[in-house]
Amino acid sequence: MTAIQTFSAPLGRVLLSLIFLISGVGKISGYAGTQAYMESVGVPGALLPAVIAFEVLGGLAIVLGWQTRLVAFLLAGFCLLSAVLFHGNVGDQGQQIQFLKNLGLAGGFLVLVAHGAGAWSIDN
C-alpha cells in the first residue's frame, strides 16, 4: 500500500461522512422544520428519529471504518432515495445540484463497498 493510499482512505471516509454527521446533528436543532419538510413531500415525520440516528451512526461507522461495506451500501441507498424524494425537481437548478450531490455521494459510498475501508480502519 502506498503512502497516498494510506492517507487518502481515512481522509476520504471522513470527507464522505461529514455531511451526514453535520446534517444529522443539525436535524436535532431544527427538528420541527425538518419534520414538516419531510411531511410536505409525503414522508412520515415519525421517521425523523431513525433518520437522525442513521445519519449520525452511519457517518461515525464510516469514519471509524467499522462494517464499512455494509454501512456504505446502506448510505448509498439512502442518498439515492433522498435524491428522488427530496430533490427530484431537477428543473430547479438548486434542486438539480442537490440531486447530483446525492448521486456523487452514492458513488463514493459504492467505491467503499467495492474496495472496503482501507487504512486506519476497524475493518482493516
Side-chain angles (χ1 to χ4, degrees), residues 32-75:
T34 303
Q35 187 176 36
Y37 180 60
M38 288 173 66
E39 290 171 350
S40 76
V41 297
V43 177
L47 293 176
L48 184 53
V51 170
I52 292 168
F54 182 68
E55 287 185 348
V56 173
L57 296 175
L60 286 173
I62 295 295
V63 167
L64 297 172
W66 179 77
Q67 296 292 315
T68 304
R69 284 186 161 101
L70 172 63
V71 175
F73 181 77
L74 295 173
L75 283 168

Side-chain angles (χ1 to χ4, degrees), residues 71-95:
V71 175
F73 181 77
L74 295 173
L75 283 168
F78 180 83
C79 289
L80 295 173
L81 185 61
S82 297
V84 171
L85 290 175
F86 297 102
H87 308 299
N89 180 11
V90 294
D92 175 320
Q93 186 178 15
Q95 290 302 311

Side-chain angles (χ1 to χ4, degrees), residues 21-39:
L21 295 168
I22 293 168
S23 179
V25 171
K27 283 177 175 66
I28 296 168
S29 63
Y31 194 93
T34 303
Q35 187 176 36
Y37 180 60
M38 288 173 66
E39 290 171 350

